[in-house]
Amino acid sequence: MTDSLRERLEGFLRWYHDLYGGNWYVENRETLEALLRGEAAAGGDSALEQFHRQIQDCTRCPLGKTRTRFVFGSGNENAEIMLIGEAPGRDEDLQGQPFVGRSGQLLTKMLARIGLKRQEVYIANILKCRPPNNRNPEPAEVDTCLPYLQRQIEMIQPKILIALGKVAAQTLLGSEAGMAGLRNRLWQYRNIPLIVTFHPAYLLRNESALEEGVRDLQFALAQYQKNQPR
Ligand code: SF4
């Protein structure tokens, strides 16, 4: 077995154990091998699309019963820049896509300010289902849902992560620090550089912080570019 295949197998087993504990549900050997190789399976779906299909009916936490639509994530499956928010809001819950409401429109404009298009990045949330009335996620909901995001990150293999807001940042970093302690620093999440900025919903309520948010994105882009082969 090659080192790369062993690494993927170990990552897959870690994710599977996080998600299902000691219970094993593998459809068949071909499916497992295709997932490990990150290849498209029969039917032409990418491994990420297959994964979406596998988990889209999830009801492992109570939000599965109150959501309208499951929100997997969207964007470029080969993106090197991945943004992670908190949870779907009302518009996202209705459309099944992340960051499509007013917050999403602002995020699109902010990305454009640093020369990025939405299609170039991948966007997901800590939770895949909307908490009622946009309340904060409960710790148990985060614990239950997080292995899905971790698996997405393993499949996309971004070169930099941008955490949007305190909930995403604290969850990924296992920190209780406030935004002042989280921003303007280069963090690591499972060996991937991570930058923290404001959630766009916060910026809609606090327009005076918008330029700081754009500067955070510029900082993230600079960190990403610094690590690109010349
Ligand atoms: S929030 Fe996550 S764990 Fe809870 S039902 Fe939705 S997909 Fe499943």
Side-chain angles (χ1 to χ4, degrees):
M1 187 185 286
T2 64
D3 285 351
S4 144
L5 188 57
R6 183 176 294 110
E7 247 171 55
R8 281 176 180 276
L9 179 58
E10 285 171 0
F12 178 83
L13 293 174
R14 223 178 13 250
W15 163 76
Y16 208 100
H17 188 267
D18 285 349
L19 202 52
Y20 297 119
N23 301 317
W24 288 90
Y25 305 102
V26 177
E27 277 175 45
N28 54 50
R29 186 191 161 113
E30 288 71 30
T31 304
L32 175 59
E33 288 181 351
L35 281 168
L36 288 173
R37 289 194 304 269
E39 287 176 357
D45 284 352
S46 67
L48 197 65
E49 284 164 347
Q50 282 183 66
F51 180 50
H52 182 177
R53 271 210 318 276
Q54 283 173 359
I55 66 170
Q56 65 188 359
D57 298 322
C58 177
T59 53
R60 297 184 74 233
C61 86
L63 301 181
K65 296 209 170 57
T66 54
R67 72 173 176 234
T68 310
R69 294 187 63 180
F70 170 93
V71 181
F72 182 68
S74 73
N76 183 345
E77 294 190 5
N78 300 311
E80 300 201 326
I81 299 174
M82 180 167 177
L83 296 98
I84 299 172
E86 177 178 325
R90 189 193 54 183
D91 294 303
E92 292 74 20
D93 177 62
L94 291 173
Q95 296 186 43
Q97 295 290 330
F99 285 94
V100 288
R102 284 180 64 226
S103 296
Q105 287 160 15
L106 177 59
L107 181 61
T108 305
K109 283 187 195 152
M110 290 172 70
L111 289 171
R113 290 268 306 272
I114 63 162
L116 289 175
K117 298 191 181 75
R118 283 278 290 249
Q119 310 88 279
E120 292 176 272
V121 301
Y122 194 91
I123 305 181
N125 284 305
I126 297 288
L127 292 186
K128 310 231 167 283
C129 305
R130 182 193 185 201
N133 302 316
N134 295 352
R135 65 157 168 75
N136 283 344
E138 298 286 348
E141 293 160 358
V142 171
D143 287 348
T144 311
C145 205
L146 193 58
Y148 291 147
L149 177 67
Q150 287 167 339
R151 182 62 186 145
Q152 267 175 303
I153 294 171
E154 284 176 12
M155 294 174 105
I156 293 166
Q157 299 186 333
K159 298 281 193 297
I160 193 154
L161 293 166
I162 301 174
L164 301 170
K166 194 166 74 172
V167 170
Q170 289 182 336
T171 301
L172 293 172
L173 297 173
S175 166
E176 293 186 353
M179 285 301 278
L182 292 165
R183 289 180 53 245
N184 298 313
R185 285 184 55 178
L186 181 60
W187 300 89
Q188 295 284 323
Y189 172 79
R190 296 189 168 188
N191 293 325
I192 304 170
L194 183 148
I195 303 287
V196 178
T197 187
F198 301 110
H199 194 286
Y202 170 86
L203 296 174
L204 285 172
R205 298 190 303 269
N206 299 275
E207 279 181 27
S208 59
L210 180 61
E211 292 308 311
E212 282 182 77
V214 173
R215 274 199 296 277
D216 289 342
L217 295 184
Q218 276 163 343
F219 176 46
L221 186 63
Q223 292 300 326
Y224 161 71
Q225 287 168 339
K226 206 163 78 180
N227 293 323
Q228 288 310 292
R230 294 175 190 273

